[in-house]
Amino acid sequence: MATEGPATRRVQVAEYPRLLKLKEMFNSKFGSIPKFYVRAPGRVNIIGEHIDYCGYSVLPMAVEQDMLIAVEPVKTHTLQLANTNPLYPNTLVLVT
C-alpha cells in the first residue's frame, strides 16, 4: 500500500488557457482565487464494467477528455459544486 500522496506538478495558470478560463469563472462565481487545481484524465473500459465485478479482466484506456477542478478549501460543512457549462445546474452538498 502506497503511503505517498498523489503526484503534483506546479504550473503557471497563464500558460494554459483552460486553467485561466476556469480561474476567471471561479473568481466571478465565488469571489476568490482557487487555492489549487485538479486534473482527472478520462478513461474508458473497452470491456464493460460489469465484467470486472465477475473477476474477468478489463482493458482500460486513456481518452483525450479530462476534467479540471478548481478548489478552495472552506471551513463549512457545505460543499458547493459549480459547472462552467450553464447546461448543468450548480449543486450544494452537506458534508457530515
Side-chain angles (χ1 to χ4, degrees):
M1 181 185 233
T3 58
E4 296 178 16
T8 61
R9 186 175 75 174
R10 291 192 175 271
V11 297
Q12 294 295 322
V13 172
E15 295 176 13
Y16 296 90
R18 287 180 65 207
L19 281 177
L20 188 56
K21 179 182 177 186
L22 182 59
K23 176 183 175 182
E24 292 168 355
M25 294 186 86
F26 188 96
N27 190 23
S28 71
K29 174 79 176 163
F30 299 109
S32 61
I33 303 299
K35 299 294 183 252
F36 62 93
Y37 301 88
V38 177
R39 178 183 171 267
R43 77 176 187 110
V44 296
N45 286 330
I46 300 303
I47 301 172
E49 284 283 339
H50 66 281
I51 295 173
D52 186 35
Y53 300 127
C54 295
Y56 297 102
S57 59
V58 295
L59 179 58
M61 348 177 14
V63 293
E64 186 176 335
Q65 291 79 5
D66 62 359
M67 181 181 294
L68 292 177
I69 303 167
V71 180
E72 180 180 18
V74 294
K75 294 182 175 157
T76 66
H77 291 283
T78 302
L79 178 66
Q80 294 184 46
L81 305 175
N83 197 307
T84 58
N85 186 333
L87 293 176
Y88 301 99
N90 296 331
T91 306
L92 290 176
V93 179
L94 182 60
V95 181
T96 56

